Amino acid sequence: MTTPSISARVLDTAKRNELHHAIILHGPVPAALRELSIRIAKTLNCVEGTTGDDCQSCQRIDRRTHPDIHFVEVADTKKMISIDQIRDILENASMRPYEGRNKVFIIDPADGLSPSGSNALLKTLEEPARDTTFILLTRSPDLLLPTIRSRSQPVYVADTTRQLVGPRQALRARQVALVEEAGGELAGQALEALHRFATRGDSAALLALASVVCSQDDVKDALALMGSVFIDIVALDPKESVDPKKLEDVRAKIPTEKLLAAADTALGAIRWLGVNADSRLLAEQVVAALV
């Protein structure tokens, strides 16, 4: 008997109207988080009672025109989700659904909430309105305030490309997805810098990598990608890598505990960006954990 996936179980729970009022979808691929959040919104409001079909309600959710489905994202000219945006959704959350069965607020990314925005959201998560669901998307729950986490149910969303294709292609797909989020060829540059440091003791290569990371348009995504590269180096069989020789060389010279410490430092750096810490200094602290 096949065990249903986490996503299938979440959708089934939503279909029975037993979903927690606030859930945190987290995982390595933002597109997978967004796809599941949309399917949850459809399941909670589908006219035909499915997990998403071609009914009028599902079509409007796809077009982002459904009056009960709200997408809360970082504005083009901003770096974070503002408290004013949160106040707007809280006002909407206090009202009954206009035409659907459930009001859904998708916050993407939830780690983009400003500190004041996070605090403003807390009261509503403590005393949720009836027929209202909050879906928070993030790479890791650790990027959110502990008080937000304690009032929400975390759901890990795996990178399904690993299940659909072979290991090498899966790694390529994951790296491509992450690079598209962060911009440029950052994953390849990270591995190259690590290789130069591992084989030549070139500390300047690490500082150059830090400079590249903090120059990206979205420094949060760049730091997350760098942390993912460190974890992949620890977790992957070299044969499964896009560059087995380089990965093998890095693993032979840089201790596992230092790679994992650098990955943890990258997550911590993302949190500090939320309080306007210096991005260059944070990126340099990440690579310093490797030395």
Side-chain angles (χ1 to χ4, degrees), residues 25-268:
L25 300 184
H26 63 101
V29 182
L33 307 181
R34 292 171 191 138
E35 180 183 357
L36 181 56
S37 70
I38 293 293
R39 292 197 65 194
I40 291 171
K42 289 180 177 178
T43 303
L44 291 170
N45 289 284
C46 180
V47 174
E48 305 297 334
T50 75
T51 58
D53 55 29
D54 200 37
C55 75
Q56 183 181 22
S57 176
C58 292
Q59 288 183 32
R60 294 179 73 184
I61 291 172
D62 279 331
R63 295 195 301 267
R64 294 194 172 199
T65 59
H66 195 294
D68 295 317
I69 312 303
H70 302 267
F71 297 86
V72 187
E73 300 165 331
V74 179
D76 289 340
T77 58
K78 305 292 184 181
K79 292 186 176 180
M80 306 192 78
I81 296 171
S82 70
I83 188 171
D84 288 336
Q85 289 175 276
I86 298 302
R87 285 171 177 157
D88 285 343
I89 71 169
L90 296 184
E91 184 177 349
N92 273 315
S94 65
M95 303 175 185
R96 295 297 303 276
Y98 288 100
E99 64 179 56
R101 298 190 304 275
N102 198 290
K103 295 180 78 72
V104 180
F105 297 87
I106 300 171
I107 303 178
D108 177 20
D111 48 89
L113 284 164
S114 66
S116 56
S118 293
N119 289 323
L121 184 62
L122 279 177
K123 183 172 176 59
T124 297
L125 295 186
E126 288 172 346
E127 302 172 6
R130 185 179 170 190
D131 303 322
T132 300
T133 301
F134 288 87
I135 305 177
L136 289 73
L137 313 187
T138 181
R139 294 184 186 276
S140 169
D142 289 339
L143 300 176
L144 308 181
L145 289 180
T147 44
I148 294 283
R149 298 200 304 268
S150 68
R151 291 159 177 78
S152 309
Q153 179 180 6
V155 176
Y156 177 74
V157 182
D159 179 0
T160 54
T161 56
R162 290 185 181 273
Q163 303 165 19
L164 300 175
V165 298
R168 185 187 299 268
Q169 292 86 351
L171 176 61
R172 283 184 184 276
R174 181 180 177 195
Q175 287 185 341
V176 166
L178 287 169
V179 168
E180 286 176 349
E181 291 291 325
E185 295 296 331
L186 187 54
Q189 291 173 316
L191 183 58
E192 178 63 30
L194 289 172
H195 187 255
R196 287 177 58 188
F197 172 67
T199 57
R200 307 178 201 171
D202 186 359
S203 298
L206 297 181
L207 292 175
L209 175 61
S211 179
V212 169
V213 167
C214 68
S215 69
Q216 299 295 311
D217 290 337
D218 192 325
V219 180
K220 281 187 179 181
D221 272 353
L223 285 166
L225 175 59
M226 185 161 61
S228 294
V229 171
F230 297 153
I231 292 170
D232 277 344
I233 289 169
V234 171
L236 286 174
D237 184 314
K239 296 192 296 293
E240 298 176 353
S241 171
V242 291
D243 197 326
K245 179 64 170 63
K246 282 185 179 178
L247 187 143
E248 210 163 31
D249 289 344
V250 170
R251 289 240 302 242
K253 297 291 185 180
I254 303 179
T256 294
E257 58 268 23
K258 289 194 173 184
L259 287 164
L260 292 177
D264 285 342
T265 305
L267 274 180

